[in-house]
Amino acid sequence: MATAIITGASQGIGACIAERLAKDGFDVVINHYPSDSDREKALAVAERCRTYGVKAECVPADVSDFGQCEAMVKQVKAEFGSIDALVNNAGITKDGLLARMKESDYDAVIAVNQKSVYNMMKHVCSVMMKQRHGRIVNVSSVAGLYGNAGQVNYSASKAAIIGMTKTVAKEFGSRNITCNAVAPGFIHTPMTDVLSEELKNKMLGAVALGRYGEPEEIASVVSFLVSDDSSYVTGQVIEISGGLSM
Ligand code: NAP
């Protein structure tokens, strides 16, 4: 059985990806931030994943911490035997215009959204290299492609992920490891639920399909990118935004 690790999978897009990959037949590792409330939500995600007859385990780790990522990868390798897919999904926002953005808010977003991707790929790639097989999907954002006022920290982190994705695709292609990114637009999750109605309506005006995306619509593209069907796709960024950028 193939194993997939999904970071930040206690809710939102990550939880949905975990369920979709379980449905596809992957044993799933549901990483969550080490807090009681995240644990509770992650356990519920694992229950739903198990209904597809696969193994599902919740592993707490703050993915911005190099040592915690290393320990998680070691634990997964020991318990599951292989790591076939990694989805770097964990992310946060701490929005504000540049003039007002605190250094701590800049650093926090870079640590969780960007450094985490290094932390996880560094440890997982050494496992995948020995297997001579692996699929990595990094969750970027349209903010990383086009920028977004009020998100200099977030857009920096999401743009960096795109560079990292292409670099890892080049470094590990000869080992049969693919690395791609998805760049979601406005997706209906707890992260966007907090935005004002005014801002939501303004954003929707730029979306060709005229609606928010659903987490399932991100999960289906990730499902393709970790499957054998995408065996000749690497170093790509797939925008999933309902036609935001045409
Ligand atoms: P979400 O509902 O807030 O989920 C993000 C998950 O990441 C949460 O479970 C969160 O846990 C977890 N997380 C945060 N910091 C972590 C850490 N240090 N270690 C481990 N887990 C951590 O957001 P979402 O909308 O599903 O977003 C998922 C990904 O898609 C993010 O990378 C986001 O940037 C990206 N994205 C989302 C949209 C959108 O419109 N929703 C658009 C483009 C890109 P806590 O709840 O404890 O923080």
Side-chain angles (χ1 to χ4, degrees), residues 7-15 17 31-35 37-38 41 59-65 68 72 88-93 108 111-113 116 138-143 154 157-158 161 182-193 195 212-213 215 218 240:
T7 68
S10 61
Q11 66 175 32
I13 293 170
I17 292 171
N31 158 255
H32 63 87
Y33 187 79
S35 76
S37 66
D38 282 275
K41 286 185 275 180
V59 181
D62 174 350
V63 289
S64 67
D65 184 293
Q68 290 186 39
M72 172 163 62
N88 283 310
N89 165 80
I92 58 169
T93 51
V112 175
N113 295 9
S116 66
N138 296 321
V139 181
S140 178
S141 165
V142 290
Y154 185 78
S157 70
K158 295 299 186 179
I161 288 177
V182 291
F186 306 119
I187 311 302
H188 202 220
T189 71
M191 187 181 267
T192 48
D193 285 349
L195 300 175
Y212 266 66
I218 308 303
I240 314 166

Side-chain angles (χ1 to χ4, degrees), residues 64-122:
S64 67
D65 184 293
F66 188 80
Q68 290 186 39
C69 291
E70 184 175 25
M72 172 163 62
V73 171
K74 273 192 184 149
Q75 180 187 337
V76 173
K77 174 77 177 82
E79 289 178 20
F80 288 75
S82 68
I83 302 173
D84 305 280
L86 165 66
V87 183
N88 283 310
N89 165 80
I92 58 169
T93 51
K94 287 188 184 290
D95 296 350
L97 295 171
L98 175 62
R100 276 186 243 135
M101 185 176 286
K102 288 186 285 178
E103 185 186 7
S104 57
D105 286 346
Y106 186 85
D107 289 346
V109 168
I110 296 295
V112 175
N113 295 9
Q114 178 189 338
K115 170 93 185 313
S116 66
V117 176
Y118 161 78
N119 292 342
M120 289 303 295
M121 292 201 298
K122 164 108 177 136

Side-chain angles (χ1 to χ4, degrees), residues 3 83-86 123-136 175-178:
T3 302
I83 302 173
D84 305 280
L86 165 66
H123 298 301
V124 166
C125 279
S126 75
V127 175
M128 288 180 168
M129 237 169 36
K130 288 178 196 127
Q131 295 170 175
R132 292 202 156 259
H133 167 80
R135 295 270 188 272
I136 300 171
R175 306 298 179 106
N176 194 28
I177 298 168
T178 66

Side-chain angles (χ1 to χ4, degrees), residues 55 65 111 119 122 135 147 151 167 189 194 209-210 212 222 225:
K55 200 167 147 183
D65 184 293
N119 292 342
K122 164 108 177 136
R135 295 270 188 272
Q151 291 197 310
T167 299
T189 71
V194 295
L209 291 179
Y212 266 66
V222 173
L225 290 173

Side-chain angles (χ1 to χ4, degrees), residues 210-232:
R211 63 170 177 84
Y212 266 66
E214 296 301 325
E216 289 77 8
E217 294 173 300
I218 308 303
S220 59
V221 178
V222 173
S223 162
F224 166 69
L225 290 173
V226 300
S227 76
D228 289 341
D229 287 342
S230 66
S231 49
Y232 204 52

